[in-house]
């Protein structure tokens, strides 16, 4: 599971498979990509394990999750475009935070303990010598100079 600052989104590793049943009662296996809390409700972003007609391999379906009893959850497809967009936006924010390894919002892949002010598309960086070593490179693939 990936770490992120957004407590309303849990990003999941692709090793958990959930089996749902289609309209013909045929099993369909999904990877649960993320669980998102939005306006007090829980939603699951799911990607099919096998290719699914009408769904690209980088696309996911969003289901509202409600607890039927202690051992069973019910997954209801979400059709409201407003809710789909809002839940997906929350997921994107959490995924971006998880991809930002140093947590500072710079997008670099270095560990600066959150005190970074990098602009990796530019020439400025004041991350501090603790991970630049004074050479102006932070390991993110760009070459910027220390302020």
């Amino acid at each position: 599971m990936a770490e992120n600052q957004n407590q309303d989104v849990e990003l999941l590793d692709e090793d958990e498979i959930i089996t749902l049943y289609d309209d013909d009662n045929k099993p369909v296996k999904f990877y649960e990509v993320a669980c998102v809390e939005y306006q007090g409700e829980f939603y699951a972003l799911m990607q099919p394990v096998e290719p699914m007609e009408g769904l690209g391999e980088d696309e996911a379906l969003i289901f509202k999750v409600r607890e039927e009893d202690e051992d069973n959850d019910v997954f209801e497809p979400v059709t409201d475009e407003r809710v789909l967009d809002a839940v997906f936006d929350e997921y994107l924010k959490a995924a971006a935070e998880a991809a930002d390894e140093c947590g500072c919002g710079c997008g670099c892949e270095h560990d600066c303990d959150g005190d970074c002010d990098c602009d990796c598309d530019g020439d400025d960086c004041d991350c501090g010598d603790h991970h630049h070593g004074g050479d102006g490179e932070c390991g993110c693939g760009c070459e910027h100079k220390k302020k």
Side-chain angles (χ1 to χ4, degrees), residues 81-137:
E81 289 292 326
R82 183 188 56 78
V83 173
L84 287 169
D85 290 343
V87 169
F88 191 65
D89 286 347
E90 288 298 315
Y91 163 73
L92 290 176
K93 286 185 224 174
E97 288 173 6
D100 182 19
E101 290 183 18
C102 67
C104 66
C106 72
C108 288
E109 294 179 7
H110 59 274
D111 181 16
C112 65
D113 301 322
D115 61 356
C116 177
D117 220 1
C118 285
D119 176 9
C120 289
D121 295 321
D123 295 327
D124 298 326
C125 184
D126 61 1
C127 293
D129 289 332
H130 63 281
H131 51 93
H132 284 282
D135 63 1
E137 294 183 26

Side-chain angles (χ1 to χ4, degrees), residues 25-37:
N25 209 28
K26 292 181 183 175
V28 182
K29 294 183 179 188
F30 289 91
Y31 294 115
E32 188 173 12
V33 176
C35 183
V36 177
E37 183 179 357

Side-chain angles (χ1 to χ4, degrees), residues 8-33:
D8 294 334
V9 178
E10 182 178 2
L11 302 176
L12 305 169
D13 294 326
E14 285 190 4
D15 57 357
E16 183 170 351
I17 295 178
I18 294 177
T19 302
L20 301 178
Y21 293 87
D22 67 12
D23 293 336
D24 297 324
N25 209 28
K26 292 181 183 175
V28 182
K29 294 183 179 188
F30 289 91
Y31 294 115
E32 188 173 12
V33 176

Side-chain angles (χ1 to χ4, degrees), residues 40-104:
E41 303 285 349
F42 291 94
Y43 298 87
L45 274 77
M46 313 274 274
Q47 285 187 314
V49 172
E50 300 291 324
M52 182 179 278
E53 187 177 325
L55 194 66
E57 67 180 58
D58 62 340
E59 294 180 312
L61 298 173
I62 299 176
F63 294 88
K64 182 177 180 179
V65 182
R66 63 178 176 81
E67 191 176 300
E68 184 175 67
D69 56 47
E70 285 184 28
D71 298 324
N72 294 310
D73 289 332
V74 175
F75 292 80
E76 301 170 347
V78 177
T79 57
D80 183 330
E81 289 292 326
R82 183 188 56 78
V83 173
L84 287 169
D85 290 343
V87 169
F88 191 65
D89 286 347
E90 288 298 315
Y91 163 73
L92 290 176
K93 286 185 224 174
E97 288 173 6
D100 182 19
E101 290 183 18
C102 67
C104 66

